[in-house]
Amino acid sequence: MEKQDYKIHIVGAGVSGLIAATVLEQNGFSPIILEATERAGGRVKTDNINGYQLDQGFQVLLTAYPAAQKYLDYDSLELQHFLPGASIFKNGKQEVIGDPLRDASLLFSTLFANIGSVADKLKILKLNTSLKKKSIDEIFSDEAQTTFSYLTDLGFSSEIIDDFFTPFFSGIFLENKLETSSRMFEFVYKMFGEGDAAVPKGGMEEIPKQLVRQLQNTSINYNTAVASISEKEILLANGTKIESDFTIVATEPSQLIRNLKNQATEWHSCDTLYFETENRKINKKLIGLLPETDSLINNIFYPTSLETMVSGGKELLSVTVVNNNGITGKELVNRVQEELREYCGITSCTFLKHYHIPMSLPNLSQLQYEIPPSETRLTETIYLAGDVQLNGSLNAAMLAGESAAHGVLENLEGLFK
Ligand SMILES: Cc1cc2nc3c(=O)[nH]c(=O)nc-3n(C[C@H](O)[C@H](O)[C@H](O)COP(=O)(O)OP(=O)(O)OC[C@H]3O[C@@H](n4cnc5c(N)ncnc54)[C@H](O)[C@@H]3O)c2cc1C
């Protein structure tokens, strides 16, 4: 049998499935992706509404991600970079803190910001240096603790933890107690120190779109939901049975594979709401944080502070709520608008769209950076990919897809020498 005759199916056209297809193609195979929805991207999607680019959930690409550097062409994504810092709304004031070594324009505001002590600011710089020297392997093999206890152990004051670390990392981990593993904290902190946070000019969905464009020998079947997967066979939701030599599951697998049924992943959810405003309260390309403990809003950002492909003429404001306390729909929109007024002085904004994303990031107890190809193998013919195998990030989604593809390749190795 020739390489291209193998029926290798990938379930899911998210970033992980697209990378699995890329690696299989690079090795001469012609995979088939089965995707439940009408387009690729999974959790990385952008809608065009009223002339604005609305990412389905506020998210960023960290340019230092090793896997992203390997698989993405940053130039043609026309990445728009954030400044390394944050604008913090506290007690009716707005203070900017950031990494002055990376962007000199943040030096004075950081030194004089009323956020944390001088000792805290020096510790932040020291942490940058020490994590630059620590390899990713070392980070992920170190003893894990919660991010909160890690920061306390490092001697950071409760002010800087409450006013900066908690809101900043709650927006990344999508949980606001900093219970996420210190491994993830160190990894993300290292990535922030070694590169930028960025969004493609056309919005985050340009990432999966680029991956799809790079595929030459892969067929993608959209609107094709898989109901279950067994050895050498896939059952579609419409009742069709498909023969499969190998199947890579690039999504949460517990509902699809019988003996994983009791291993469902828990998820962190979030809400992202978009508003149109006349002007911006944050002039620089910075995320805005709300450290107030009783606020629903975690962070705000003006996507129009970056260059975008299209523009609705005014400013676009995104608001992320990490814990909505059970408040939904119109009530959530009203509460968010009240808080924007109270904490940020944003008095007039027109509501555009609300995304509630129940399955945003997997809540995993054991975080890993990568997985050896052999460990992606569930059975002789079924392999597991997706960020759920490692940690909730684009980098992890890519590495898991790569590894599952290598798992299949290793299985076939002897046949094509
Ligand atoms: C709000 C939010 C913010 C985030 N912020 C960041 C960030 O700032 N930086 C970062 O690196 N990461 C961030 N992430 C995480 C990142 O988006 C994910 O880790 C990554 O997109 C996961 O990709 P994946 O391919 O593993 O899974 P998914 O994107 O979930 O892809 C799975 C695909 O499988 C399909 N599928 C599911 N079930 C079936 C079925 N039965 N049959 C057929 N197809 C099926 C789905 O439709 C989907 O297309 C964020 C995520 C969210 C939601």
Side-chain angles (χ1 to χ4, degrees), residues 198-256:
V199 172
K201 193 173 173 184
M204 288 299 283
E205 195 175 332
E206 289 302 309
I207 293 172
K209 279 186 182 166
Q210 179 179 89
L211 293 172
V212 169
R213 272 196 304 274
Q214 287 168 357
L215 293 172
Q216 305 281 318
N217 299 312
T218 297
S219 19
I220 308 186
N221 300 340
Y222 294 109
N223 302 311
T224 308
V226 169
S228 67
I229 298 162
S230 50
E231 211 61 51
K232 294 231 168 213
E233 191 176 273
I234 295 173
L235 174 66
L236 299 185
N238 68 8
T240 312
K241 282 183 181 161
I242 302 178
E243 249 180 66
S244 186
D245 293 316
F246 294 98
T247 306
I248 292 177
V249 189
T251 184
E252 208 277 331
S254 66
Q255 296 310 306
L256 300 176

Short mmCIF file of all heavy atoms in Angstrom, two decimals, residues 198-256:
data_model
loop_
_atom_site.label_atom_id
_atom_site.label_comp_id
_atom_site.label_asym_id
_atom_site.label_seq_id
_atom_site.Cartn_x
_atom_site.Cartn_y
_atom_site.Cartn_z
N ALA A 198 0.58 39.14 20.69
CA ALA A 198 0.23 39.71 19.39
C ALA A 198 -1.07 39.11 18.86
O ALA A 198 -1.47 38.01 19.27
CB ALA A 198 1.36 39.45 18.39
N VAL A 199 -1.68 39.85 17.95
CA VAL A 199 -2.89 39.37 17.26
C VAL A 199 -2.67 39.64 15.77
O VAL A 199 -2.18 40.72 15.41
CB VAL A 199 -4.14 40.15 17.75
CG1 VAL A 199 -5.35 39.82 16.91
CG2 VAL A 199 -4.43 39.85 19.22
N PRO A 200 -2.99 38.69 14.90
CA PRO A 200 -2.87 38.97 13.46
C PRO A 200 -3.75 40.15 13.07
O PRO A 200 -4.80 40.37 13.68
CB PRO A 200 -3.36 37.68 12.80
CG PRO A 200 -3.23 36.62 13.84
CD PRO A 200 -3.44 37.31 15.16
N LYS A 201 -3.32 40.87 12.05
CA LYS A 201 -4.08 42.06 11.63
C LYS A 201 -5.54 41.72 11.31
O LYS A 201 -6.44 42.53 11.55
CB LYS A 201 -3.39 42.67 10.39
CG LYS A 201 -3.88 44.04 10.05
CD LYS A 201 -3.04 44.63 8.93
CE LYS A 201 -3.64 45.94 8.47
NZ LYS A 201 -2.91 46.50 7.32
N GLY A 202 -5.77 40.53 10.82
CA GLY A 202 -7.15 40.12 10.46
C GLY A 202 -7.88 39.43 11.61
O GLY A 202 -8.95 38.88 11.39
N GLY A 203 -7.29 39.40 12.81
CA GLY A 203 -7.94 38.71 13.94
C GLY A 203 -7.34 37.32 14.13
O GLY A 203 -6.62 36.81 13.26
N MET A 204 -7.66 36.70 15.26
CA MET A 204 -7.01 35.43 15.62
C MET A 204 -7.29 34.31 14.61
O MET A 204 -6.47 33.41 14.43
CB MET A 204 -7.45 35.00 17.02
CG MET A 204 -6.85 35.83 18.15
SD MET A 204 -5.04 35.77 18.21
CE MET A 204 -4.75 34.17 18.94
N GLU A 205 -8.43 34.35 13.93
CA GLU A 205 -8.75 33.25 13.01
C GLU A 205 -7.80 33.19 11.82
O GLU A 205 -7.75 32.18 11.11
CB GLU A 205 -10.21 33.35 12.54
CG GLU A 205 -10.69 32.06 11.88
CD GLU A 205 -12.16 32.06 11.49
OE1 GLU A 205 -12.96 32.78 12.13
OE2 GLU A 205 -12.50 31.34 10.54
N GLU A 206 -7.02 34.26 11.63
CA GLU A 206 -6.02 34.19 10.56
C GLU A 206 -5.03 33.06 10.81
O GLU A 206 -4.42 32.54 9.87
CB GLU A 206 -5.26 35.52 10.44
CG GLU A 206 -6.09 36.66 9.88
CD GLU A 206 -6.65 36.36 8.49
OE1 GLU A 206 -5.87 35.96 7.61
OE2 GLU A 206 -7.87 36.51 8.30
N ILE A 207 -4.88 32.66 12.08
CA ILE A 207 -3.93 31.58 12.39
C ILE A 207 -4.40 30.25 11.79
O ILE A 207 -3.69 29.65 10.97
CB ILE A 207 -3.68 31.50 13.92
CG1 ILE A 207 -2.93 32.76 14.38
CG2 ILE A 207 -2.92 30.23 14.30
CD1 ILE A 207 -2.77 32.90 15.88
N PRO A 208 -5.60 29.76 12.16
CA PRO A 208 -6.04 28.52 11.49
C PRO A 208 -6.22 28.69 9.99
O PRO A 208 -5.97 27.74 9.23
CB PRO A 208 -7.37 28.18 12.18
CG PRO A 208 -7.80 29.41 12.90
CD PRO A 208 -6.54 30.15 13.25
N LYS A 209 -6.61 29.91 9.54
CA LYS A 209 -6.77 30.08 8.08
C LYS A 209 -5.44 29.86 7.38
O LYS A 209 -5.37 29.26 6.31
CB LYS A 209 -7.28 31.50 7.77
CG LYS A 209 -8.78 31.65 7.95
CD LYS A 209 -9.18 33.04 7.46
CE LYS A 209 -10.66 33.29 7.66
NZ LYS A 209 -10.98 34.71 7.51
N GLN A 210 -4.36 30.39 7.99
CA GLN A 210 -3.04 30.19 7.37
C GLN A 210 -2.68 28.70 7.35
O GLN A 210 -2.16 28.19 6.36
CB GLN A 210 -1.97 30.97 8.15
CG GLN A 210 -0.60 30.77 7.58
CD GLN A 210 0.47 31.56 8.35
OE1 GLN A 210 1.03 31.07 9.30
NE2 GLN A 210 0.73 32.78 7.91
N LEU A 211 -2.98 28.01 8.46
CA LEU A 211 -2.65 26.57 8.51
C LEU A 211 -3.43 25.80 7.44
O LEU A 211 -2.89 24.90 6.79
CB LEU A 211 -2.94 26.01 9.91
CG LEU A 211 -2.04 26.56 11.03
CD1 LEU A 211 -2.52 26.09 12.39
CD2 LEU A 211 -0.58 26.13 10.81
N VAL A 212 -4.69 26.18 7.23
CA VAL A 212 -5.49 25.50 6.20
C VAL A 212 -4.90 25.77 4.82
O VAL A 212 -4.76 24.86 3.99
CB VAL A 212 -6.98 25.96 6.26
CG1 VAL A 212 -7.75 25.48 5.03
CG2 VAL A 212 -7.65 25.47 7.53
N ARG A 213 -4.51 27.04 4.58
CA ARG A 213 -3.93 27.39 3.27
C ARG A 213 -2.66 26.62 2.98
O ARG A 213 -2.36 26.29 1.84
CB ARG A 213 -3.62 28.90 3.22
CG ARG A 213 -4.76 29.76 2.75
CD ARG A 213 -4.28 31.15 2.34
NE ARG A 213 -3.55 31.83 3.38
CZ ARG A 213 -4.12 32.55 4.34
NH1 ARG A 213 -5.43 32.68 4.40
NH2 ARG A 213 -3.39 33.16 5.26
N GLN A 214 -1.91 26.30 4.05
CA GLN A 214 -0.63 25.60 3.84
C GLN A 214 -0.84 24.11 3.50
O GLN A 214 0.07 23.44 3.07
CB GLN A 214 0.24 25.72 5.09
CG GLN A 214 0.83 27.13 5.26
CD GLN A 214 1.46 27.34 6.64
OE1 GLN A 214 1.42 26.46 7.49
NE2 GLN A 214 2.03 28.51 6.86
N LEU A 215 -2.04 23.61 3.75
CA LEU A 215 -2.28 22.17 3.50
C LEU A 215 -2.51 21.93 2.01
O LEU A 215 -3.31 22.63 1.37
CB LEU A 215 -3.49 21.69 4.31
CG LEU A 215 -3.33 21.68 5.83
CD1 LEU A 215 -4.66 21.37 6.52
CD2 LEU A 215 -2.27 20.67 6.25
N GLN A 216 -1.81 20.94 1.48
CA GLN A 216 -1.91 20.65 0.04
C GLN A 216 -2.66 19.35 -0.23
O GLN A 216 -3.36 19.22 -1.22
CB GLN A 216 -0.49 20.48 -0.56
CG GLN A 216 0.44 21.64 -0.32
CD GLN A 216 0.16 22.76 -1.27
OE1 GLN A 216 -0.07 22.53 -2.45
NE2 GLN A 216 0.13 23.98 -0.76
N ASN A 217 -2.45 18.37 0.63
CA ASN A 217 -2.98 17.03 0.35
C ASN A 217 -3.93 16.52 1.42
O ASN A 217 -4.03 15.32 1.65
CB ASN A 217 -1.81 16.04 0.21
CG ASN A 217 -0.90 16.42 -0.92
OD1 ASN A 217 -1.37 16.69 -2.02
ND2 ASN A 217 0.40 16.48 -0.64
N THR A 218 -4.58 17.45 2.08
CA THR A 218 -5.51 17.07 3.14
C THR A 218 -6.92 17.42 2.68
O THR A 218 -7.12 18.50 2.13
CB THR A 218 -5.19 17.87 4.43
OG1 THR A 218 -3.88 17.52 4.86
CG2 THR A 218 -6.19 17.56 5.55
N SER A 219 -7.88 16.51 2.89
CA SER A 219 -9.26 16.95 2.64
C SER A 219 -9.93 17.26 3.96
O SER A 219 -9.72 16.55 4.95
CB SER A 219 -10.07 15.92 1.84
OG SER A 219 -9.48 14.67 1.90
N ILE A 220 -10.67 18.34 3.97
CA ILE A 220 -11.39 18.72 5.20
C ILE A 220 -12.88 18.60 4.92
O ILE A 220 -13.40 19.24 4.01
CB ILE A 220 -11.07 20.16 5.65
CG1 ILE A 220 -9.55 20.39 5.74
CG2 ILE A 220 -11.72 20.44 7.01
CD1 ILE A 220 -9.13 21.74 6.30
N ASN A 221 -13.55 17.74 5.69
CA ASN A 221 -15.00 17.59 5.56
C ASN A 221 -15.67 18.37 6.68
O ASN A 221 -15.60 17.97 7.84
CB ASN A 221 -15.41 16.11 5.64
CG ASN A 221 -14.77 15.29 4.54
OD1 ASN A 221 -14.33 15.84 3.52
ND2 ASN A 221 -14.70 14.00 4.74
N TYR A 222 -16.27 19.51 6.32
CA TYR A 222 -16.95 20.33 7.33
C TYR A 222 -18.34 19.78 7.58
O TYR A 222 -18.84 18.92 6.85
CB TYR A 222 -17.02 21.79 6.83
CG TYR A 222 -15.64 22.43 6.73
CD1 TYR A 222 -15.06 22.70 5.49
CD2 TYR A 222 -14.92 22.74 7.88
CE1 TYR A 222 -13.80 23.28 5.40
CE2 TYR A 222 -13.65 23.32 7.80
CZ TYR A 222 -13.10 23.57 6.56
OH TYR A 222 -11.85 24.14 6.47
N ASN A 223 -19.00 20.32 8.61
CA ASN A 223 -20.35 19.87 8.99
C ASN A 223 -20.43 18.36 9.10
O ASN A 223 -21.40 17.73 8.70
CB ASN A 223 -21.39 20.38 7.98
CG ASN A 223 -21.35 21.89 7.88
OD1 ASN A 223 -21.38 22.57 8.91
ND2 ASN A 223 -21.24 22.42 6.68
N THR A 224 -19.37 17.77 9.61
CA THR A 224 -19.27 16.32 9.71
C THR A 224 -18.94 15.95 11.15
O THR A 224 -17.77 15.85 11.53
CB THR A 224 -18.17 15.79 8.74
OG1 THR A 224 -18.45 16.31 7.44
CG2 THR A 224 -18.14 14.28 8.68
N ALA A 225 -19.97 15.79 11.95
CA ALA A 225 -19.75 15.48 13.36
C ALA A 225 -19.53 13.98 13.54
O ALA A 225 -20.24 13.16 12.94
CB ALA A 225 -20.95 15.92 14.18
N VAL A 226 -18.55 13.65 14.36
CA VAL A 226 -18.27 12.24 14.66
C VAL A 226 -19.05 11.86 15.93
O VAL A 226 -19.06 12.62 16.90
CB VAL A 226 -16.75 12.06 14.88
CG1 VAL A 226 -16.43 10.69 15.46
CG2 VAL A 226 -16.02 12.27 13.56
N ALA A 227 -19.69 10.69 15.89
CA ALA A 227 -20.46 10.25 17.07
C ALA A 227 -19.61 9.34 17.95
O ALA A 227 -19.63 9.46 19.17
CB ALA A 227 -21.73 9.53 16.62
N SER A 228 -18.86 8.42 17.33
CA SER A 228 -18.02 7.54 18.15
C SER A 228 -16.87 6.98 17.31
O SER A 228 -16.93 6.94 16.07
CB SER A 228 -18.85 6.41 18.76
OG SER A 228 -19.30 5.57 17.72
N ILE A 229 -15.85 6.56 18.03
CA ILE A 229 -14.65 6.05 17.35
C ILE A 229 -14.29 4.71 17.98
O ILE A 229 -14.26 4.58 19.21
CB ILE A 229 -13.48 7.04 17.56
CG1 ILE A 229 -13.82 8.40 16.93
CG2 ILE A 229 -12.18 6.49 16.96
CD1 ILE A 229 -12.96 9.53 17.44
N SER A 230 -14.07 3.73 17.13
CA SER A 230 -13.59 2.45 17.65
C SER A 230 -12.44 2.00 16.75
O SER A 230 -12.09 2.69 15.79
CB SER A 230 -14.72 1.42 17.70
OG SER A 230 -15.37 1.39 16.45
N GLU A 231 -11.87 0.85 17.07
CA GLU A 231 -10.73 0.36 16.30
C GLU A 231 -11.07 0.31 14.81
O GLU A 231 -12.04 -0.34 14.42
CB GLU A 231 -10.39 -1.04 16.82
CG GLU A 231 -8.95 -1.42 16.73
CD GLU A 231 -8.03 -0.51 17.56
OE1 GLU A 231 -8.31 -0.30 18.75
OE2 GLU A 231 -7.07 -0.02 16.99
N LYS A 232 -10.35 1.05 14.01
CA LYS A 232 -10.49 1.03 12.54
C LYS A 232 -11.83 1.52 12.02
O LYS A 232 -12.15 1.33 10.84
CB LYS A 232 -10.21 -0.38 11.99
CG LYS A 232 -8.78 -0.84 12.18
CD LYS A 232 -8.21 -1.35 10.88
CE LYS A 232 -6.73 -1.53 10.97
NZ LYS A 232 -6.04 -1.28 9.74
N GLU A 233 -12.66 2.11 12.91
CA GLU A 233 -13.96 2.56 12.42
C GLU A 233 -14.42 3.85 13.10
O GLU A 233 -14.22 4.04 14.29
CB GLU A 233 -15.02 1.47 12.66
CG GLU A 233 -16.31 1.78 11.93
CD GLU A 233 -17.33 0.65 12.08
OE1 GLU A 233 -17.28 -0.28 11.26
OE2 GLU A 233 -18.14 0.72 13.02
N ILE A 234 -15.03 4.72 12.28
CA ILE A 234 -15.59 5.97 12.82
C ILE A 234 -17.07 5.97 12.48
O ILE A 234 -17.46 5.71 11.34
CB ILE A 234 -14.90 7.18 12.15
CG1 ILE A 234 -13.41 7.22 12.52
CG2 ILE A 234 -15.58 8.49 12.55
CD1 ILE A 234 -12.61 8.28 11.77
N LEU A 235 -17.89 6.27 13.48
CA LEU A 235 -19.32 6.41 13.23
C LEU A 235 -19.66 7.89 13.25
O LEU A 235 -19.41 8.59 14.25
CB LEU A 235 -20.11 5.66 14.32
CG LEU A 235 -21.63 5.83 14.27
CD1 LEU A 235 -22.23 5.20 13.00
CD2 LEU A 235 -22.28 5.23 15.52
N LEU A 236 -20.23 8.38 12.15
CA LEU A 236 -20.62 9.79 12.10
C LEU A 236 -21.97 9.99 12.77
O LEU A 236 -22.76 9.05 12.88
CB LEU A 236 -20.69 10.28 10.65
CG LEU A 236 -19.41 10.21 9.82
CD1 LEU A 236 -19.63 10.83 8.44
CD2 LEU A 236 -18.26 10.94 10.54
N ALA A 237 -22.25 11.24 13.15
CA ALA A 237 -23.53 11.54 13.82
C ALA A 237 -24.70 11.24 12.89
O ALA A 237 -25.80 10.94 13.35
CB ALA A 237 -23.54 13.00 14.25
N ASN A 238 -24.47 11.30 11.57
CA ASN A 238 -25.58 11.00 10.64
C ASN A 238 -25.74 9.51 10.36
O ASN A 238 -26.49 9.11 9.48
CB ASN A 238 -25.39 11.79 9.33
CG ASN A 238 -24.19 11.28 8.52
OD1 ASN A 238 -23.58 10.26 8.84
ND2 ASN A 238 -23.83 12.02 7.48
N GLY A 239 -25.00 8.69 11.10
CA GLY A 239 -25.17 7.23 10.99
C GLY A 239 -24.19 6.55 10.03
O GLY A 239 -24.08 5.33 10.03
N THR A 240 -23.46 7.34 9.24
CA THR A 240 -22.50 6.76 8.28
C THR A 240 -21.31 6.15 9.02
O THR A 240 -20.79 6.75 9.96
CB THR A 240 -21.96 7.85 7.32
OG1 THR A 240 -23.05 8.59 6.83
CG2 THR A 240 -21.16 7.26 6.18
N LYS A 241 -20.89 4.97 8.56
CA LYS A 241 -19.68 4.36 9.14
C LYS A 241 -18.51 4.54 8.17
O LYS A 241 -18.68 4.35 6.96
CB LYS A 241 -19.90 2.87 9.36
CG LYS A 241 -20.73 2.60 10.60
CD LYS A 241 -20.86 1.11 10.85
CE LYS A 241 -21.70 0.90 12.09
NZ LYS A 241 -22.25 -0.45 12.15
N ILE A 242 -17.36 4.91 8.70
CA ILE A 242 -16.19 5.13 7.85
C ILE A 242 -15.07 4.20 8.31
O ILE A 242 -14.80 4.11 9.51
CB ILE A 242 -15.69 6.59 7.97
CG1 ILE A 242 -16.79 7.57 7.59
CG2 ILE A 242 -14.47 6.83 7.12
CD1 ILE A 242 -16.36 9.03 7.75
N GLU A 243 -14.44 3.57 7.36
CA GLU A 243 -13.26 2.76 7.69
C GLU A 243 -12.06 3.67 7.90
O GLU A 243 -11.88 4.63 7.14
CB GLU A 243 -12.93 1.88 6.49
CG GLU A 243 -13.19 0.41 6.71
CD GLU A 243 -12.80 -0.34 5.44
OE1 GLU A 243 -11.60 -0.35 5.12
OE2 GLU A 243 -13.72 -0.85 4.79
N SER A 244 -11.26 3.38 8.91
CA SER A 244 -10.12 4.26 9.18
C SER A 244 -8.91 3.43 9.59
O SER A 244 -8.98 2.65 10.54
CB SER A 244 -10.52 5.24 10.30
OG SER A 244 -9.51 6.19 10.49
N ASP A 245 -7.80 3.59 8.87
CA ASP A 245 -6.59 2.85 9.26
C ASP A 245 -6.04 3.41 10.56
O ASP A 245 -5.61 2.67 11.43
CB ASP A 245 -5.53 2.96 8.15
CG ASP A 245 -5.98 2.24 6.88
OD1 ASP A 245 -6.50 1.11 7.01
OD2 ASP A 245 -5.85 2.82 5.79
N PHE A 246 -6.06 4.76 10.65
CA PHE A 246 -5.63 5.43 11.88
C PHE A 246 -6.55 6.62 12.13
O PHE A 246 -6.97 7.27 11.17
CB PHE A 246 -4.19 5.95 11.76
CG PHE A 246 -3.18 4.85 11.63
CD1 PHE A 246 -2.70 4.47 10.38
CD2 PHE A 246 -2.73 4.18 12.76
CE1 PHE A 246 -1.79 3.44 10.26
CE2 PHE A 246 -1.81 3.14 12.65
CZ PHE A 246 -1.34 2.77 11.39
N THR A 247 -6.84 6.87 13.40
CA THR A 247 -7.67 8.03 13.74
C THR A 247 -6.97 8.85 14.81
O THR A 247 -6.59 8.32 15.85
CB THR A 247 -9.05 7.58 14.26
OG1 THR A 247 -9.64 6.70 13.29
CG2 THR A 247 -9.97 8.78 14.49
N ILE A 248 -6.80 10.12 14.51
CA ILE A 248 -6.25 11.06 15.52
C ILE A 248 -7.42 11.88 16.05
O ILE A 248 -8.12 12.53 15.27
CB ILE A 248 -5.18 11.98 14.90
CG1 ILE A 248 -3.95 11.16 14.51
CG2 ILE A 248 -4.79 13.09 15.88
CD1 ILE A 248 -2.84 11.95 13.82
N VAL A 249 -7.63 11.82 17.35
CA VAL A 249 -8.73 12.58 17.94
C VAL A 249 -8.16 13.91 18.44
O VAL A 249 -7.47 13.96 19.46
CB VAL A 249 -9.38 11.80 19.11
CG1 VAL A 249 -10.65 12.52 19.56
CG2 VAL A 249 -9.68 10.38 18.69
N ALA A 250 -8.45 14.99 17.70
CA ALA A 250 -7.88 16.29 18.06
C ALA A 250 -8.94 17.16 18.73
O ALA A 250 -9.14 18.33 18.39
CB ALA A 250 -7.32 16.97 16.81
N THR A 251 -9.62 16.58 19.69
CA THR A 251 -10.59 17.28 20.51
C THR A 251 -10.74 16.47 21.78
O THR A 251 -10.16 15.39 21.91
CB THR A 251 -11.94 17.45 19.77
OG1 THR A 251 -12.83 18.22 20.58
CG2 THR A 251 -12.60 16.10 19.47
N GLU A 252 -11.53 16.98 22.73
CA GLU A 252 -11.72 16.23 23.98
C GLU A 252 -12.36 14.88 23.64
O GLU A 252 -13.43 14.85 23.03
CB GLU A 252 -12.61 17.06 24.90
CG GLU A 252 -12.38 16.81 26.36
CD GLU A 252 -13.11 15.60 26.88
OE1 GLU A 252 -14.18 15.26 26.34
OE2 GLU A 252 -12.62 15.00 27.85
N PRO A 253 -11.73 13.76 24.00
CA PRO A 253 -12.16 12.47 23.44
C PRO A 253 -13.20 11.69 24.26
O PRO A 253 -13.74 10.70 23.77
CB PRO A 253 -10.85 11.66 23.41
CG PRO A 253 -10.05 12.20 24.56
CD PRO A 253 -10.46 13.64 24.74
N SER A 254 -13.53 12.15 25.47
CA SER A 254 -14.27 11.25 26.37
C SER A 254 -15.66 10.88 25.86
O SER A 254 -16.16 9.80 26.17
CB SER A 254 -14.37 11.86 27.78
OG SER A 254 -15.16 13.01 27.73
N GLN A 255 -16.28 11.76 25.07
CA GLN A 255 -17.63 11.44 24.57
C GLN A 255 -17.57 10.56 23.32
O GLN A 255 -18.60 10.06 22.85
CB GLN A 255 -18.39 12.72 24.23
CG GLN A 255 -18.66 13.62 25.43
CD GLN A 255 -19.26 12.85 26.60
OE1 GLN A 255 -20.28 12.18 26.44
NE2 GLN A 255 -18.63 12.93 27.76
N LEU A 256 -16.38 10.39 22.78
CA LEU A 256 -16.28 9.71 21.48
C LEU A 256 -15.79 8.27 21.60
O LEU A 256 -16.01 7.46 20.69
CB LEU A 256 -15.32 10.49 20.56
CG LEU A 256 -15.72 11.93 20.26
CD1 LEU A 256 -14.67 12.62 19.43
CD2 LEU A 256 -17.06 11.95 19.53
#
